[in-house]
Amino acid sequence: MPPGAEPADARASSPAALRNREPILAAISPVLPRSGLVLEVASGTGEHLVHFATRLPHLEWQPSDPSPAARASIAAWSAAAGLANLRAPVALDAAADDWPVATADAILCINLAHVAPWAATVGLLAGAGRLLPAGGPLFLYGPFIEAGTPLAPSNAAFDAELRRRNPEWGLRQVEAVEAVARAHGLVLARRMPMPANNLTLVFTKVPQHDPSAATPRPPG
């Protein structure tokens, strides 16, 4: 184990991460750049990124999470995998104005928007607008609400439970996310249905945008 690495017993595991890592990999692989740095915001246990870095060794991967426990888990999984293309995790709060990463060729965020205040989604989109080059993708994965599309009963129950636990949590409307994205120079390029009533939304950075555009508020 490299000097300074976290011990193996710091590794946390998520059954959901084990279930969805292959479908997510299949969804993002055709859109990822051929080379460069992929930043994951809110890496959680680290299992997703270790899997992606193993399967896509031509890319460099930067995990991040605001939680010290999560970063310890990420570091432990990384140390166990021994991958040269996987960087050490950094402390990154999506809602913050300043991130510890200056640039990225792609950004990935899995299951964050619905378990964090709306400010985290706004900050994520603002950060992607700052960091990504023209044409660079931002991948958002998770359950969402779409206008004109009935909400699956399981997602409706999940949304109610999240809001019971924290009034600032809950499934986000795709249209609200898209409106904020446009304010930060991002356009929704792809919408991919995923297993268990989830979506992968792919936003891309447009060549130019007005950074002074107002950030829309979520409806409701």
Side-chain angles (χ1 to χ4, degrees):
M1 184 177 295
E6 296 292 335
D9 61 10
R11 287 180 289 180
S13 186
S14 166
L18 298 178
R19 287 195 304 269
N20 64 31
R21 63 185 186 181
E22 276 298 330
I24 294 174
L25 180 63
I28 68 177
S29 292
V31 191
L32 284 167
R34 295 184 178 181
S35 62
L37 176 68
V38 182
L39 166 66
E40 184 180 32
V41 176
S43 297
T45 65
E47 293 168 289
H48 281 123
L49 217 59
V50 167
H51 183 69
F52 301 157
T54 301
R55 297 288 296 275
L56 300 173
H58 58 286
L59 291 166
E60 190 171 6
W61 300 84
Q62 175 63 71
S64 74
D65 204 280
S67 163
R71 293 195 303 274
S73 177
I74 297 163
W77 280 110
S78 178
L83 300 173
N85 63 328
L86 186 57
R87 293 185 177 184
V90 295
L92 189 156
D93 179 356
D97 292 331
D98 295 316
W99 289 5
V101 179
T103 185
D105 298 288
I107 297 176
L108 173 65
C109 187
I110 298 171
N111 285 331
L112 169 70
H114 56 285
V115 291
W118 174 245
T121 297
V122 173
L124 171 67
L125 295 165
R130 292 192 305 270
L131 269 63
L132 290 173
L138 164 67
F139 301 92
L140 297 186
Y141 169 90
F144 292 91
I145 298 171
E146 295 182 279
T149 301
L151 192 61
S154 59
N155 278 2
F158 185 40
D159 181 53
E161 172 61 17
L162 289 171
R163 295 180 187 278
R164 185 192 66 78
R165 291 167 57 190
N166 188 324
E168 293 192 275
W169 293 4
L171 275 60
R172 306 302 176 187
Q173 293 184 355
V174 170
E175 295 77 16
V177 175
E178 189 176 1
V180 176
R182 285 196 301 270
H184 294 287
L186 303 162
V187 295
L188 181 59
R190 297 193 186 189
R191 170 201 174 277
M192 292 180 275
M194 303 293 290
N197 301 309
N198 291 301
L199 294 175
T200 291
L201 304 177
V202 184
F203 295 87
T204 56
K205 176 76 175 291
V206 297
Q208 294 180 345
H209 76 286
D210 179 5
S212 66
T215 298
R217 296 176 62 85

